Amino acid sequence: MTVLIVEDERSLSHELEIYLTKHSYNCDVAFNGKTATEKIFVNNYDFVLLDVNLPDINGFEILKECKKQNVESAIIMLTARGEVNDKIMGLELGADDYLAKPFSLPELNARMQAILRRKHGLKNIVIKINEFDMDVQNRTVTANGNLVNLTKKEFDLLHYLTLNKNRVLTRVQLTEHIWGDVMEDDYDSNYIDVHIKNLRKKLAGSGNADFIETVRGIGYRVNLQE
């Protein structure tokens, strides 16, 4: 998952980046509103953590513009302003959540995971994929109680494909959301295919991996019944 951290307090920004990277997010950082808007409208982030009190542009104004431009990123407002009216304003403008500083980093991660579940219609942290159980919190996949030993990227690929089940994802989309910033020339490389091949092989050792479909010339799709 990709995250843009928009925070002018550099120590907090660095702390967020370290914590979220350790929890397998790909982080990008902006220290002011101008840089943030440039990044938001060029990149397709899964999350934007948006400070309200930026030095040049108010975070609420950036939020308004994101909604006007139909930006799909989930937006969590971060602010030292804990007044109820500010929270109401942020949520009414379309923010997905609102956290007042100081906040707990595990709580932030839990709220991000809750937003993902809401967005993709999931009811709990364990996703059922035929005979496989994907535990998102502990980042494990099991089949009949036996652990399937996936690498970090293999787990991230399966997770992202499963969140977007029955939808074709291009290699570019998978690259952006799993690897983050990648040079344009890398889009033509076959490392996505190599990771998918390895993922299928490991899953097939414990069950049926045919639910991962190759869509010729485009990318991949996880086929699951609703």
Short mmCIF file of all heavy atoms in Angstrom, two decimals, residues 147-180:
data_model
loop_
_atom_site.label_atom_id
_atom_site.label_comp_id
_atom_site.label_asym_id
_atom_site.label_seq_id
_atom_site.Cartn_x
_atom_site.Cartn_y
_atom_site.Cartn_z
N LEU A 147 1.08 -23.20 7.46
CA LEU A 147 1.58 -21.92 6.97
C LEU A 147 2.14 -22.04 5.55
O LEU A 147 2.89 -22.96 5.24
CB LEU A 147 2.69 -21.42 7.91
CG LEU A 147 3.30 -20.05 7.58
CD1 LEU A 147 2.25 -18.94 7.79
CD2 LEU A 147 4.53 -19.80 8.46
N VAL A 148 1.74 -21.08 4.70
CA VAL A 148 2.33 -20.97 3.36
C VAL A 148 3.41 -19.89 3.46
O VAL A 148 3.11 -18.75 3.79
CB VAL A 148 1.28 -20.57 2.31
CG1 VAL A 148 1.92 -20.48 0.93
CG2 VAL A 148 0.13 -21.58 2.30
N ASN A 149 4.63 -20.25 3.19
CA ASN A 149 5.77 -19.36 3.44
C ASN A 149 5.96 -18.37 2.29
O ASN A 149 6.69 -18.64 1.33
CB ASN A 149 7.03 -20.19 3.66
CG ASN A 149 8.19 -19.35 4.16
OD1 ASN A 149 7.99 -18.26 4.70
ND2 ASN A 149 9.39 -19.84 3.95
N LEU A 150 5.32 -17.21 2.39
CA LEU A 150 5.41 -16.19 1.34
C LEU A 150 6.40 -15.11 1.73
O LEU A 150 6.56 -14.80 2.91
CB LEU A 150 4.04 -15.53 1.11
CG LEU A 150 2.88 -16.44 0.71
CD1 LEU A 150 1.62 -15.61 0.48
CD2 LEU A 150 3.21 -17.26 -0.53
N THR A 151 7.06 -14.53 0.73
CA THR A 151 7.90 -13.37 0.98
C THR A 151 7.00 -12.14 1.19
O THR A 151 5.79 -12.19 0.94
CB THR A 151 8.84 -13.08 -0.21
OG1 THR A 151 8.03 -12.70 -1.33
CG2 THR A 151 9.68 -14.30 -0.56
N LYS A 152 7.61 -11.04 1.64
CA LYS A 152 6.85 -9.81 1.86
C LYS A 152 6.12 -9.37 0.59
O LYS A 152 4.93 -9.04 0.63
CB LYS A 152 7.81 -8.71 2.33
CG LYS A 152 7.19 -7.34 2.49
CD LYS A 152 8.23 -6.33 2.93
CE LYS A 152 7.62 -4.94 3.05
NZ LYS A 152 7.11 -4.42 1.77
N LYS A 153 6.82 -9.35 -0.53
CA LYS A 153 6.20 -8.89 -1.78
C LYS A 153 5.14 -9.86 -2.28
O LYS A 153 4.13 -9.45 -2.85
CB LYS A 153 7.28 -8.67 -2.86
CG LYS A 153 8.22 -7.52 -2.56
CD LYS A 153 7.46 -6.20 -2.38
CE LYS A 153 8.41 -5.04 -2.14
NZ LYS A 153 7.69 -3.80 -1.75
N GLU A 154 5.37 -11.14 -2.09
CA GLU A 154 4.36 -12.12 -2.51
C GLU A 154 3.08 -11.93 -1.69
O GLU A 154 1.97 -11.98 -2.23
CB GLU A 154 4.90 -13.55 -2.35
CG GLU A 154 5.98 -13.89 -3.37
CD GLU A 154 6.82 -15.10 -2.98
OE1 GLU A 154 6.59 -15.67 -1.89
OE2 GLU A 154 7.72 -15.45 -3.75
N PHE A 155 3.23 -11.69 -0.37
CA PHE A 155 2.05 -11.44 0.46
C PHE A 155 1.36 -10.16 0.01
O PHE A 155 0.12 -10.12 -0.13
CB PHE A 155 2.46 -11.32 1.94
CG PHE A 155 1.29 -11.10 2.86
CD1 PHE A 155 0.67 -12.17 3.48
CD2 PHE A 155 0.79 -9.82 3.10
CE1 PHE A 155 -0.43 -11.98 4.31
CE2 PHE A 155 -0.31 -9.61 3.92
CZ PHE A 155 -0.92 -10.71 4.53
N ASP A 156 2.14 -9.10 -0.24
CA ASP A 156 1.55 -7.82 -0.66
C ASP A 156 0.79 -7.96 -1.98
O ASP A 156 -0.28 -7.38 -2.15
CB ASP A 156 2.65 -6.75 -0.80
CG ASP A 156 3.23 -6.33 0.55
OD1 ASP A 156 2.57 -6.57 1.57
OD2 ASP A 156 4.33 -5.76 0.55
N LEU A 157 1.35 -8.72 -2.91
CA LEU A 157 0.68 -8.94 -4.20
C LEU A 157 -0.65 -9.66 -3.99
O LEU A 157 -1.68 -9.24 -4.53
CB LEU A 157 1.57 -9.79 -5.10
CG LEU A 157 2.53 -9.08 -6.05
CD1 LEU A 157 3.42 -10.09 -6.74
CD2 LEU A 157 1.75 -8.26 -7.08
N LEU A 158 -0.62 -10.75 -3.23
CA LEU A 158 -1.85 -11.51 -3.00
C LEU A 158 -2.89 -10.65 -2.27
O LEU A 158 -4.08 -10.68 -2.61
CB LEU A 158 -1.54 -12.77 -2.19
CG LEU A 158 -2.73 -13.69 -1.93
CD1 LEU A 158 -3.35 -14.18 -3.22
CD2 LEU A 158 -2.30 -14.89 -1.06
N HIS A 159 -2.43 -9.87 -1.29
CA HIS A 159 -3.33 -9.01 -0.54
C HIS A 159 -4.00 -7.98 -1.44
O HIS A 159 -5.23 -7.81 -1.43
CB HIS A 159 -2.55 -8.30 0.58
CG HIS A 159 -3.40 -7.47 1.49
ND1 HIS A 159 -2.93 -6.36 2.14
CD2 HIS A 159 -4.71 -7.57 1.85
CE1 HIS A 159 -3.89 -5.84 2.86
NE2 HIS A 159 -4.99 -6.54 2.71
N TYR A 160 -3.19 -7.31 -2.27
CA TYR A 160 -3.75 -6.25 -3.12
C TYR A 160 -4.68 -6.83 -4.20
O TYR A 160 -5.74 -6.26 -4.48
CB TYR A 160 -2.62 -5.44 -3.76
CG TYR A 160 -3.12 -4.14 -4.35
CD1 TYR A 160 -3.58 -3.13 -3.51
CD2 TYR A 160 -3.16 -3.94 -5.71
CE1 TYR A 160 -4.06 -1.95 -4.04
CE2 TYR A 160 -3.64 -2.76 -6.25
CZ TYR A 160 -4.09 -1.77 -5.40
OH TYR A 160 -4.58 -0.60 -5.91
N LEU A 161 -4.29 -7.95 -4.78
CA LEU A 161 -5.16 -8.60 -5.77
C LEU A 161 -6.47 -9.04 -5.12
O LEU A 161 -7.55 -8.91 -5.72
CB LEU A 161 -4.45 -9.81 -6.39
CG LEU A 161 -3.38 -9.49 -7.44
CD1 LEU A 161 -2.49 -10.71 -7.67
CD2 LEU A 161 -4.04 -9.05 -8.75
N THR A 162 -6.39 -9.54 -3.89
CA THR A 162 -7.59 -10.03 -3.21
C THR A 162 -8.51 -8.87 -2.81
O THR A 162 -9.74 -8.99 -2.89
CB THR A 162 -7.19 -10.86 -1.97
OG1 THR A 162 -6.33 -11.92 -2.37
CG2 THR A 162 -8.42 -11.44 -1.29
N LEU A 163 -7.92 -7.75 -2.36
CA LEU A 163 -8.75 -6.58 -2.04
C LEU A 163 -9.54 -6.13 -3.27
O LEU A 163 -10.65 -5.62 -3.16
CB LEU A 163 -7.87 -5.43 -1.54
CG LEU A 163 -7.28 -5.54 -0.14
CD1 LEU A 163 -6.36 -4.37 0.15
CD2 LEU A 163 -8.39 -5.62 0.92
N ASN A 164 -8.93 -6.31 -4.43
CA ASN A 164 -9.57 -5.89 -5.69
C ASN A 164 -10.07 -7.11 -6.47
O ASN A 164 -9.95 -7.17 -7.69
CB ASN A 164 -8.57 -5.10 -6.52
CG ASN A 164 -8.21 -3.78 -5.88
OD1 ASN A 164 -8.95 -2.81 -5.97
ND2 ASN A 164 -7.08 -3.75 -5.19
N LYS A 165 -10.62 -8.07 -5.76
CA LYS A 165 -11.03 -9.34 -6.37
C LYS A 165 -12.00 -9.12 -7.54
O LYS A 165 -12.79 -8.17 -7.55
CB LYS A 165 -11.70 -10.23 -5.32
CG LYS A 165 -12.97 -9.65 -4.73
CD LYS A 165 -13.52 -10.54 -3.64
CE LYS A 165 -14.78 -9.92 -3.04
NZ LYS A 165 -15.31 -10.73 -1.93
N ASN A 166 -11.86 -10.02 -8.51
CA ASN A 166 -12.71 -10.01 -9.72
C ASN A 166 -12.51 -8.76 -10.58
O ASN A 166 -13.36 -8.44 -11.41
CB ASN A 166 -14.19 -10.16 -9.35
CG ASN A 166 -14.44 -11.41 -8.53
OD1 ASN A 166 -13.82 -12.45 -8.77
ND2 ASN A 166 -15.32 -11.33 -7.55
N ARG A 167 -11.41 -8.08 -10.36
CA ARG A 167 -11.09 -6.89 -11.14
C ARG A 167 -9.68 -7.06 -11.73
O ARG A 167 -8.76 -7.46 -10.99
CB ARG A 167 -11.13 -5.66 -10.22
CG ARG A 167 -10.70 -4.37 -10.87
CD ARG A 167 -10.69 -3.26 -9.81
NE ARG A 167 -9.97 -2.10 -10.29
CZ ARG A 167 -9.50 -1.14 -9.49
NH1 ARG A 167 -9.69 -1.21 -8.20
NH2 ARG A 167 -8.86 -0.12 -9.99
N VAL A 168 -9.53 -6.78 -13.00
CA VAL A 168 -8.21 -6.90 -13.63
C VAL A 168 -7.33 -5.74 -13.18
O VAL A 168 -7.74 -4.58 -13.27
CB VAL A 168 -8.32 -6.90 -15.16
CG1 VAL A 168 -6.93 -7.00 -15.79
CG2 VAL A 168 -9.20 -8.05 -15.64
N LEU A 169 -6.14 -6.08 -12.68
CA LEU A 169 -5.16 -5.05 -12.30
C LEU A 169 -3.99 -5.14 -13.26
O LEU A 169 -3.45 -6.23 -13.52
CB LEU A 169 -4.67 -5.27 -10.87
CG LEU A 169 -5.74 -5.15 -9.77
CD1 LEU A 169 -5.12 -5.42 -8.40
CD2 LEU A 169 -6.38 -3.76 -9.78
N THR A 170 -3.62 -4.01 -13.81
CA THR A 170 -2.51 -3.99 -14.75
C THR A 170 -1.19 -4.13 -14.00
O THR A 170 -1.10 -3.91 -12.79
CB THR A 170 -2.49 -2.67 -15.55
OG1 THR A 170 -2.18 -1.60 -14.64
CG2 THR A 170 -3.83 -2.41 -16.21
N ARG A 171 -0.15 -4.47 -14.76
CA ARG A 171 1.18 -4.57 -14.15
C ARG A 171 1.61 -3.20 -13.61
O ARG A 171 2.30 -3.13 -12.59
CB ARG A 171 2.18 -5.08 -15.19
CG ARG A 171 1.98 -6.55 -15.53
CD ARG A 171 2.90 -7.02 -16.64
NE ARG A 171 2.77 -8.45 -16.88
CZ ARG A 171 1.79 -8.99 -17.60
NH1 ARG A 171 0.87 -8.22 -18.14
NH2 ARG A 171 1.71 -10.30 -17.75
N VAL A 172 1.21 -2.12 -14.27
CA VAL A 172 1.55 -0.78 -13.79
C VAL A 172 0.87 -0.51 -12.44
O VAL A 172 1.51 -0.01 -11.50
CB VAL A 172 1.11 0.29 -14.81
CG1 VAL A 172 1.28 1.70 -14.22
CG2 VAL A 172 1.92 0.17 -16.08
N GLN A 173 -0.41 -0.87 -12.32
CA GLN A 173 -1.11 -0.66 -11.05
C GLN A 173 -0.46 -1.47 -9.93
O GLN A 173 -0.27 -0.96 -8.82
CB GLN A 173 -2.58 -1.07 -11.19
CG GLN A 173 -3.41 -0.12 -12.01
CD GLN A 173 -4.82 -0.63 -12.25
OE1 GLN A 173 -5.02 -1.77 -12.69
NE2 GLN A 173 -5.81 0.19 -11.97
N LEU A 174 -0.11 -2.72 -10.23
CA LEU A 174 0.52 -3.56 -9.20
C LEU A 174 1.87 -2.99 -8.81
O LEU A 174 2.22 -2.95 -7.63
CB LEU A 174 0.66 -4.99 -9.72
CG LEU A 174 -0.66 -5.75 -9.88
CD1 LEU A 174 -0.43 -7.05 -10.65
CD2 LEU A 174 -1.28 -6.04 -8.53
N THR A 175 2.62 -2.52 -9.79
CA THR A 175 3.93 -1.95 -9.51
C THR A 175 3.80 -0.72 -8.61
O THR A 175 4.52 -0.58 -7.61
CB THR A 175 4.64 -1.55 -10.83
OG1 THR A 175 4.78 -2.71 -11.65
CG2 THR A 175 6.00 -0.95 -10.55
N GLU A 176 2.88 0.18 -8.95
CA GLU A 176 2.72 1.42 -8.19
C GLU A 176 2.29 1.15 -6.75
O GLU A 176 2.77 1.80 -5.82
CB GLU A 176 1.70 2.31 -8.87
CG GLU A 176 2.19 2.95 -10.16
CD GLU A 176 1.13 3.79 -10.85
OE1 GLU A 176 -0.07 3.61 -10.54
OE2 GLU A 176 1.50 4.61 -11.68
N HIS A 177 1.38 0.20 -6.57
CA HIS A 177 0.83 -0.01 -5.23
C HIS A 177 1.70 -0.92 -4.36
O HIS A 177 1.64 -0.83 -3.14
CB HIS A 177 -0.58 -0.59 -5.33
CG HIS A 177 -1.59 0.43 -5.76
ND1 HIS A 177 -2.25 1.26 -4.87
CD2 HIS A 177 -2.02 0.78 -6.98
CE1 HIS A 177 -3.06 2.06 -5.54
NE2 HIS A 177 -2.94 1.79 -6.82
N ILE A 178 2.49 -1.79 -4.98
CA ILE A 178 3.31 -2.71 -4.19
C ILE A 178 4.73 -2.20 -4.03
O ILE A 178 5.31 -2.28 -2.96
CB ILE A 178 3.35 -4.12 -4.83
CG1 ILE A 178 1.92 -4.63 -5.09
CG2 ILE A 178 4.12 -5.09 -3.94
CD1 ILE A 178 1.06 -4.73 -3.87
N TRP A 179 5.27 -1.63 -5.10
CA TRP A 179 6.68 -1.19 -5.05
C TRP A 179 6.81 0.32 -4.83
O TRP A 179 7.88 0.80 -4.54
CB TRP A 179 7.41 -1.60 -6.33
CG TRP A 179 7.94 -3.00 -6.26
CD1 TRP A 179 9.19 -3.40 -5.90
CD2 TRP A 179 7.22 -4.21 -6.56
NE1 TRP A 179 9.30 -4.77 -5.95
CE2 TRP A 179 8.10 -5.30 -6.35
CE3 TRP A 179 5.91 -4.48 -6.96
CZ2 TRP A 179 7.72 -6.62 -6.54
CZ3 TRP A 179 5.54 -5.81 -7.15
CH2 TRP A 179 6.43 -6.85 -6.94
N GLY A 180 5.73 1.06 -5.02
CA GLY A 180 5.81 2.50 -4.85
C GLY A 180 6.46 3.15 -6.04
O GLY A 180 6.16 2.80 -7.18
#
